Amino acid sequence: MDPKTNQPKSKENNRGAWTAEEDEKLAEAIEIHGPKKWTVVAAKAGLQRCGKSCRLRWLNYLRPNIKRGNISDQEEDLIIRLHKLLGNRWSLIAGRLPGRTDNEIKNYWNSHLSKKKEMMDKQTSSYSTRDCAKSGGRSVVEIGGAEMKKEVVTAINERGVECSKVNFNVDEFFDFSNEDPFNFGLG
DNA sequence: AACAACCTCAACCGCATCAGA
DNA sequence: GTCTGATGCGGTTGAGGTTGT
């Protein structure tokens, strides 16, 4: 283990794209040991890959029920709205989109939506009232906890859903485990 | 056909946090 | 309380594909 990078020494490990054979071995090991103890899984799979790499491969590619490509308009709209509220908290956003991974959403945002948003921002630099009501009045570029909470509460208030949550916890609010994926509390 | 420029996305990196010893 | 290893996250990179000239 390299103490600086927190990674195994690279000469001991494969790097780069995964092969079908590696995928198969990994899937087998996960079936036996579960998708949790990644160092164990990596070792038992007999792969020259670190646990971290195995975890990423599982989450982004091998996991069951994973959707790939073809992000729908509905999903895109949801990503935009969630990003407005949450900023670059990709894992939270991904939690709202069943079958989508944080990596995929992050990539999609960086290659498609960031540009789209930039263009829209330019077009609406004099921000219309309608857009203000829709978004909570401003876009958040850097999101710290307090800033984000404020933003979410503002958005909620704008929609007249909830006005009294002062001690708002965004992580509790965005506990997505049991909810309709396309209804995140804003109506 | 050849090359350059651009785009996409899988994978890696670095850091923060957590859990167990 | 401290140390160490594991896990999870967001940022970044680079190979391969696509499009334009």
Side-chain angles (χ1 to χ4, degrees), chain A residues 152-184:
Chain A
V152 173
V153 170
T154 307
I156 291 167
N157 288 348
E158 293 285 351
R159 290 185 171 235
V161 175
E162 178 79 75
C163 298
S164 59
K165 285 196 176 174
V166 178
N167 295 320
F168 185 85
N169 182 328
V170 71
D171 293 319
E172 279 174 25
F173 182 74
F174 286 98
D175 175 12
F176 304 133
S177 47
N178 301 316
E179 294 174 37
D180 171 5
F182 293 107
N183 174 14
F184 54 98

Side-chain angles (χ1 to χ4, degrees), chain A residues 24-125:
Chain A
E24 207 173 304
K25 284 181 179 175
L26 178 60
E28 275 176 28
I30 288 168
E31 210 168 298
I32 296 164
H33 303 284
K36 204 64 196 173
K37 303 275 183 186
W38 293 109
T39 46
V40 175
V41 168
K44 298 287 180 187
L47 298 168
Q48 303 301 309
R49 301 267 185 181
C50 63
K52 223 171 158 174
S53 183
C54 292
R55 174 184 163 269
L56 202 67
R57 183 65 177 170
W58 171 257
L59 288 177
N60 291 333
Y61 201 86
L62 297 175
R63 213 161 36 130
N65 305 323
I66 204 153
K67 282 189 220 163
R68 303 186 63 74
N70 298 325
I71 290 183
S72 66
D73 290 348
Q74 194 182 22
E75 285 175 311
E76 185 180 302
D77 180 59
L78 186 55
I79 291 167
I80 292 167
R81 293 196 305 168
L82 284 167
H83 187 269
K84 202 187 283 282
L85 295 175
L86 298 168
N88 296 354
R89 295 181 70 176
W90 306 115
S91 59
L92 276 179
I93 295 172
R96 270 281 149 189
L97 291 148
R100 301 293 184 189
T101 68
D102 55 352
N103 209 31
E104 186 178 17
I105 290 167
K106 181 170 61 184
N107 281 332
Y108 188 74
W109 178 268
N110 287 333
S111 55
H112 297 82
L113 301 181
S114 60
K115 285 175 202 160
K116 208 171 182 175
K117 184 174 180 292
E118 211 170 284
M119 281 172 64
M120 281 169 68
D121 284 352
K122 272 184 189 168
Q123 275 177 4
T124 59
S125 55

